[in-house]
């Protein structure tokens, strides 16, 4: 079952780990097409990715500040995206330097493993 889950994740995941980490390191604003956590609000979102890793259930995830786009909740604001639900991941030419309210430089407590957390000076 573990092999199936790994292969399933690799096949469906458009936002791969290396792309996500590069976006965080470069502080690149990113445009994603997210299927959403429900079928009600799939769509394009503009995000500022700041933290990536895995959940306690071993799902690859991304924590980001969403600036605009489709959502079930308020924008702008902090969002949690499962990478297996991202169908398009495009870095834009824009970068971000502002530390958003509520940013936690020590990672995300809902994550089991943190691959990378953005550093702001």
């Amino acid at each position: 079952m573990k092999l199936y889950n790994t292969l399933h994740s690799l096949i469906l995941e458009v936002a791969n780990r290396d792309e996500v980490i590069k976006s965080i390191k470069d502080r690149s604003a990113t445009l994603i097409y997210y299927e959403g956590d429900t079928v009600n609000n799939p769509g394009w979102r503009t995000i500022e990715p700041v933290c990536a890793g895995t959940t306690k259930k071993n799902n690859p995830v991304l924590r980001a500040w969403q600036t605009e786009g489709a959502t079930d909740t308020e924008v702008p604001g902090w969002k949690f995206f499962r990478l297996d639900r991202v169908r398009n991941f495009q870095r834009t030419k824009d970068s971000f330097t502002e530390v958003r309210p509520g940013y936690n430089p020590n990672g995300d407590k809902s994550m089991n493993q943190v691959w990378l957390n953005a550093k702001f000076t």
Side-chain angles (χ1 to χ4, degrees), residues 30-34 43-47 81 86 88-90:
T30 304
L31 182 64
I32 64 170
Y33 186 88
Y34 191 62
W44 291 97
R45 292 150 164 81
T46 303
I47 63 169
F81 301 101
V86 174
N88 196 307
F89 190 89
Q90 302 172 15

Side-chain angles (χ1 to χ4, degrees), residues 20-79:
V20 170
I21 288 174
K22 185 154 178 52
S23 291
I24 293 169
K25 283 182 179 178
D26 295 345
R27 293 192 210 129
S28 297
T30 304
L31 182 64
I32 64 170
Y33 186 88
Y34 191 62
E35 286 185 340
D37 296 326
T38 66
V39 293
N40 296 331
N41 284 315
W44 291 97
R45 292 150 164 81
T46 303
I47 63 169
E48 297 173 354
V50 298
C51 187
T54 56
T55 64
K56 293 174 183 165
K57 292 186 178 182
N58 214 30
N59 293 312
V61 291
L62 172 64
R63 174 69 72 195
W65 180 264
Q66 183 176 338
T67 58
E68 59 186 6
T71 185
D72 290 336
T73 58
E74 281 187 43
V75 171
W78 288 109
K79 308 293 178 169

Side-chain angles (χ1 to χ4, degrees), residues 82-99:
R82 280 187 42 176
L83 294 181
D84 61 340
R85 295 181 180 165
V86 174
R87 294 293 170 248
N88 196 307
F89 190 89
Q90 302 172 15
R91 293 174 49 180
T92 69
K93 293 180 181 177
D94 298 326
S95 60
F96 59 94
T97 57
E98 181 181 342
V99 179

Side-chain angles (χ1 to χ4, degrees), residues 1-13 57-60 82 84 87:
M1 188 54 116
K2 262 188 166 180
L3 177 59
Y4 170 81
N5 290 338
T6 300
L7 291 173
H8 181 68
S9 173
L10 290 173
I11 291 167
L12 294 178
E13 186 181 313
K57 292 186 178 182
N58 214 30
N59 293 312
R82 280 187 42 176
D84 61 340
R87 294 293 170 248

